[in-house]
């Protein structure tokens, strides 16, 4: 996969993973998950979305503005502010359902707006292959810094993608990370987040013993 193709797929995949995460958290809230357990998912989801919006505000949008690229960037920024207000309320411990309902509705429209602007043709018109690779490295550095603790939050994103898309998303990631650290070494860190993974991996505990754990 070329660096340009990676930029296209990365943007779409991250949007789908975050939307899936918030929809799954909202479903757990509707099911009446215990407040302390629900807050674990809320805190993680808040960190993930804040990190993604920080990437856009600190890396993507300045790049587009510097290049004079037209697009819905003012609306994107306004919607970040609205999303942040809901995240602040969730972090304060306000009743989660109204804010999760509003956030899921907003994110559906917000990500659709961005995906409509950040098309394959858009990226290819913006960057040559070498430039795309350099920009991708900047994105990776920013994401590694903001997606902390990585042992919890990287698996949370990955397991909110369907297997085929997850495979494309991780295609350029180190194999030891995807095949070893995430499913095995990181498992104790992300196990409490399993209820908020739409595509969680199989449990290790044999089914007959699960009811005792």
């Amino acid at each position: 996969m070329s660096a340009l193709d990676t930029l296209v797929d990365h943007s779409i995949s991250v949007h789908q993973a975050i939307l899936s995460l918030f929809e799954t958290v909202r479903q757990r809230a509707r099911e009446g998950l215990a407040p302390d357990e629900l807050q674990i998912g809320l805190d993680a989801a808040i960190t993930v979305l804040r990190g993604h919006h920080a990437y856009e505000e600190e890396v993507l949008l300045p790049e587009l503005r510097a290049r004079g690229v037209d697009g819905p960037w003012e609306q994107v920024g306004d919607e970040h502010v609205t999303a942040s207000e809901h995240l602040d309320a969730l972090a304060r411990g306000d009743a989660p359902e109204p804010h999760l309902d509003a956030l899921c509705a907003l994110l559906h429209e917000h990500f659709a707006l961005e995906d409509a602007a950040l098309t394959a043709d858009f990226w290819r018109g913006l960057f040559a292959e070498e430039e795309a690779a350099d920009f991708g490295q900047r994105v990776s550095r920013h994401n590694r810094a903001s997606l902390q603790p990585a042992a919890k939050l990287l698996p949370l994103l990955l397991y909110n993608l369907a297997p085929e898309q997850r495979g494309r998303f991780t295609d350029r990631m180190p194999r030891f990370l995807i095949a070893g650290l995430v499913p095995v070494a990181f498992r104790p860190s992300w196990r409490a987040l399993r209820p908020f993974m739409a595509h969680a991996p199989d449990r290790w505990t044999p089914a007959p013993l699960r009811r005792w754990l």
Side-chain angles (χ1 to χ4, degrees):
M1 185 182 293
S2 72
L4 281 164
D5 290 334
T6 297
L7 286 179
V8 175
D9 194 67
H10 177 91
S11 180
I12 293 172
S13 295
V14 168
H15 287 166
Q16 292 188 356
I18 294 174
L19 183 56
S20 173
L21 168 59
F22 273 89
E23 288 179 333
T24 304
V25 172
R26 177 172 63 163
Q27 181 61 31
R28 297 296 170 263
R30 288 175 171 174
E31 293 169 353
L33 189 66
D36 57 338
E37 296 180 53
L38 180 64
Q39 195 62 44
I40 292 172
L42 284 171
D43 290 342
I46 290 167
T47 300
V48 167
L49 185 55
R50 287 200 194 282
H52 177 65
H53 283 174
Y55 144 68
E56 293 181 337
E57 295 285 352
E58 298 168 12
V59 180
L60 176 61
L61 295 180
E63 180 77 22
L64 300 181
R65 292 179 184 126
R67 292 172 177 258
V69 178
D70 291 333
W73 318 131
E74 183 174 351
Q75 181 179 346
V76 166
D78 290 344
E79 291 177 354
H80 286 180
V81 172
T82 301
S84 183
E85 292 170 351
H86 291 296
L87 295 179
D88 289 343
L90 291 170
R92 286 194 305 266
D94 291 0
E97 288 89 342
H99 296 287
L100 288 170
D101 287 345
L103 266 173
C104 287
L106 174 64
L107 292 178
H108 270 286
E109 296 183 0
H110 180 71
F111 290 153
L113 176 71
E114 292 183 341
D115 290 343
L118 302 174
T119 63
D121 288 341
F122 172 89
W123 288 111
R124 293 189 178 95
L126 188 65
F127 292 132
E129 180 68 17
E130 185 176 342
E131 292 176 311
D134 290 341
F135 184 77
Q137 288 299 315
R138 289 168 56 196
V139 173
S140 295
R141 286 194 296 271
H142 191 284
N143 289 344
R144 285 196 298 270
S146 62
L147 202 67
Q148 295 294 331
K152 290 174 60 175
L153 300 186
L154 176 59
L156 184 62
L157 275 179
L158 296 183
Y159 293 132
N160 269 294
L161 291 172
E164 181 178 351
Q165 187 167 14
R166 188 189 318 137
R168 293 196 307 271
F169 183 60
T170 60
D171 183 60
R172 297 185 66 160
M173 295 182 183
R175 287 300 94 192
F176 73 86
L177 173 65
I178 301 307
L181 294 182
V182 167
V184 180
F186 291 173
R187 187 173 288 246
S189 296
W190 59 253
R191 186 177 286 119
L193 293 172
R194 174 181 286 277
F196 311 103
M197 296 174 173
H199 302 278
D202 292 338
R203 294 179 182 272
W204 284 354
T205 307
L209 299 180
R210 287 177 198 161
R211 64 191 182 93
W212 301 106
L213 300 180

